[in-house]
Amino acid sequence: MIDHLQHFPAKLAAHRLFSEAEPDPVCWRAIKAAAVDLDHVTNIAGPIVRALVSFDHQGGFNADANGEIAFAMAVHDEDAETVIDLVAWSARAPATFGTMFGAGVLGVDNLLNPSSFVDGPCILWKSPLRWLQSGCRGAVILNFAEARDALHGAPGPVTTETLQQAESLLRAGVVPGAKLHVPPVWGA
């Protein structure tokens, strides 16, 4: 019974967010303009909606009628179906993002699936928008503390978009050094 209720607040928040959302051509145009194949990613990640939110600069966000325009979507558990959280990112600054309930990884199903490592390390994107632009390949670290177990349990190596991102993961002890393949330094 406890497992059934474990993610109830996230499921309720997702239900409210998505049931109140109207078809939104402005949202669709903005997502497509950011080089996202909207039809493909919504088949994988589910709906993406516009919302007014406030980011708390500690990795979280809250719905806020006076907040900034953001895009929001569900974060799924490793079964790729169970909603465990919501993630939102700023429409004007996509590198600014947060979760409602503190989930660790967007795309955790990819991170824990051995087939994600067939062509090389599983990439850890810097933001939810970058993950969508990749067609939902790889994963995004949303919360370092909550991501640690998933990263340690990944069946293969991971890499990051930038050297700075790799360094911050190592400094925080989120990913074992032996599992992290440092990205190439382009133009060096």
Side-chain angles (χ1 to χ4, degrees), residues 15-186:
H15 174 75
R16 284 185 182 145
L17 178 69
F18 300 133
S19 67
E20 293 171 3
E22 297 286 331
D24 190 349
V26 173
C27 174
W28 304 332
R29 278 194 300 276
I31 296 292
K32 288 178 180 179
V36 173
D37 181 345
L38 189 60
D39 293 332
H40 174 73
V41 301
T42 54
N43 282 331
I44 296 169
I48 303 166
V49 300
R50 266 191 314 165
L52 294 174
V53 306
S54 290
F55 294 99
D56 66 15
H57 303 290
Q58 295 175 353
F61 83 92
N62 290 299
D64 180 352
N66 297 315
E68 68 176 279
I69 297 172
F71 298 103
M73 61 189 245
V75 177
H76 296 94
D77 205 352
E78 60 190 76
D79 65 5
E81 292 181 11
T82 304
V83 174
I84 60 170
D85 206 338
L86 295 172
V87 63
W89 65 96
S90 170
R92 64 178 168 73
T96 300
F97 62 88
T99 65
M100 192 169 271
F101 299 101
V105 181
L106 176 63
V108 69
D109 54 306
N110 295 334
L111 184 61
L112 297 176
N113 185 339
S115 68
S116 296
F117 301 87
V118 170
D119 294 327
C122 181
I123 189 156
L124 302 176
W125 300 101
K126 290 171 57 174
S127 71
L129 179 59
R130 294 287 295 133
W131 182 71
L132 292 171
Q133 290 168 331
S134 79
C136 302
R137 290 182 15 253
V140 180
I141 304 306
L142 303 171
N143 175 320
F144 278 19
E146 293 297 320
R148 185 172 284 115
D149 287 346
L151 284 162
H152 283 255
V158 297
T159 191
T160 59
E161 287 189 77
T162 66
L163 185 57
Q164 179 184 19
Q165 183 187 9
E167 289 170 343
S168 75
L169 289 171
L170 284 173
R171 265 194 313 277
V174 176
V175 62
K179 255 190 189 173
L180 181 62
H181 287 208
V182 177
V185 179
W186 304 110

